[in-house]
Amino acid sequence: MAAVVLGGAVGGTPRDDYDVPGTASQAGTELLRERFPGLSGTEARVVVHNPAGGQLDPALLDRVVDALRAVDQVGVAGPAQPSADGDTAIIDVRYTVPVTDLGADAMDQVRAATGAARDAGLQVEYAGQVPEGEPTEGGLGELVGVLVALVILIIAFGSVLAAGLPIVAALVGLGIGSSGILLLAAVTQVSTTSPSAAAMVGLGVGIDYALLLVTRHVEGLRAGLAPQAAAARATATAGRSVLVAGATVLLSLLGLILSGLAAYRTYGFATAIVVATAVAAAVTLVPALCAVCGRRIVRRGRLDVTEPQRPPLTARWAARVGRRPAVWAVLALAVLLLLGAPALTMRTWPQDAGSQPTENTVRRAYDLIAAEFGPGAYAPLVVAVDLAKVPQDSVPALQDRIAAVPGVATVSEPLLSPDATAAVLTVQLEFSPQDERSGELVDQLRAETLPAGAEITGVTAVFVDIADLLAERLWLVVGVVVGLSLLLLTVVFRSILVPVKAALVNLLSVAAAYGVLTMVFQWGWGGQLLGVDHPVPVSTWVPLLLFAVLFGLSMDYEVFLLSRIREEWLATGDPFQSVVRGLAATARTITAAALIMVVVFAGFMTNADIVTKMIGVGLATAVALDATIVRMVLVPASMMLFGRANWWLPGWLDRLLPHLGRRGSAELDDPADAAPATEETASLEPAASR
């Protein structure tokens, strides 16, 4: 409660930051800030349209322009630019500060200033960085996802009390984490989509971690332990898995620091805050609630453990995979590679108003501008010319050279800075910002047309630079995250092969998610079901963020499964039985946890923001594949193929690495302390003995 109150009292407001240090577009932006103070800040555009088709009243437009000029921190507004038929006009609004320095009521002031046009019965829409930076509201899907998760938990546990504990713990962790994000926004820039992405991940992992602890607690109760002892045992065993799993997620998220963009750093920090609070809630609040609830957490009659007449389904499935592990491994690999293949054709673009839902004002503004002024008019290029390096008398010739480039629609007359040391040309392209040809044209102008001292900036040029930067940094982030995860898992599981396999299969899951994103959004397969009315490129923001989150989440299930398999391996030394018992003991929990996470992530597909939709699709797809194809087929098949080699570690490395327990188990200090086997850990004879 204190965190929520503090976040509400002194927390900041998320804002998008379009600065990309070290790029050509940033050089142009800095020149504008230095020489054109009135044009140096962020921008908004007001689009006024007469639905009846008649010409707009110039006097009314002048009143709107005057009202916009009176808005706080506006440096330049207008004049209104009418369309050829006069029924539509664009009013450009330039602020003197970047979007991160605007007040939370910036758009409210713009809406109030344009009230006269709405009162006259005209359609008024808003475009530009200011309205695009407004946080989007989540859809009902998020709430529905939580309710469905509760139903799944009730079915899994047969008890409303047991089902409610993971939900409560996850919501408490999410509430504290969300307050932490607001506090972070008070001291640094936090992008507008960061809270949604963090909530998506935090809610999913929060339920998962709490579910693992509650499941292990219930096992202890069924084994005859007192509630307090069962809660302590769950914390000592499953709690360690939660800590290791949470650490892998945090390592993956902190890899975003290497992206080179402030927006990505805040993505990583914001999501890490929520994940950290989810872990803390799981290992503290959940055991406490379990102990308080006593035996009421399990429905009467479910505490009795009877010897099953036959092994459970998950154990029988593990044995089936073990009979032909090579065949199953090849089939699983084929499915993942087939789904991942479309990713080879993936084209990325940061974001575009034209891909937003039609109920969004920036999308309606985009459609009006494209229809009345041309597809390239929504985000024109801005050429900033330093007249100390480019003679002023050569600017008209530069204007002509730019206009002669194929794909350029119009070039404005040069505008001189107040001190006559710089000039600005506005260049409208024939293509929409997300059109692949726009990026190519920006590169061509920079390489072949512009002299030294002239830089292209504007949203389209900034997005070109962002796409290039993230494409370069992706492999750095992948290498660092995979390397750190390998080191952590080597310490935890005392193995060389197990961490390497874990990294490879997790990368396959990520590639499959990329392939599905490409099919749904870029190819348009089923996109309309998500409210995307035409094919769009995959947002440049998504692949790197998805990798960091998915690699961590995949490691969650890897840790849950391998911890139990290693526990059985240390107790029996049987490579086959350890896989069978480990899968049998964790399969239901992993399946329920994955189903819950898929439902939660799918709920975010209803969010109005296209980037959030993509993240929801990617996360839901990867988790579903990871919990089925990977954990139920590929991992057990590969472990049965390699047998004892799974747990080989050179003696010198074993002595060098720190030990987490007396026998190196991530789950238990001593496997002999484990709870007695239940029906889910019933043994099967190895295939060779049958």
Side-chain angles (χ1 to χ4, degrees), residues 500-527:
V500 171
K501 287 190 305 176
L504 291 176
V505 297
N506 288 349
L507 290 174
L508 286 173
S509 296
V510 173
Y514 287 173
V516 172
L517 279 175
T518 303
M519 289 187 283
V520 172
F521 292 97
Q522 186 174 316
W523 295 0
W525 292 6

Side-chain angles (χ1 to χ4, degrees), residues 334-346 508 511-516 518-519 523:
V335 172
L336 293 175
L337 291 174
L338 182 63
L339 289 174
L344 297 174
T345 68
M346 180 190 290
L508 286 173
Y514 287 173
V516 172
T518 303
M519 289 187 283
W523 295 0

Side-chain angles (χ1 to χ4, degrees), residues 41 44 108 188 226 265 366 369 379-380 396 421 431-432 573 581 608 625 657:
D108 291 335
T188 188
R265 287 196 294 272
Y366 177 93
I369 292 173
T421 61
F431 322 116
S432 68
R581 286 175 175 266
L625 291 172
L657 295 175

Side-chain angles (χ1 to χ4, degrees), residues 568-593:
E568 296 292 341
W569 161 255
L570 291 174
T572 66
D574 186 334
F576 181 91
Q577 282 289 343
S578 61
V579 175
V580 172
R581 286 175 175 266
L583 186 60
T586 59
R588 286 206 310 178
T589 302
I590 289 177
T591 301

Side-chain angles (χ1 to χ4, degrees), residues 97-116:
V97 296
V99 68
T100 51
D101 292 342
L102 290 180
D105 62 342
M107 271 309 301
D108 291 335
Q109 293 189 46
V110 172
R111 292 187 184 97
T114 55

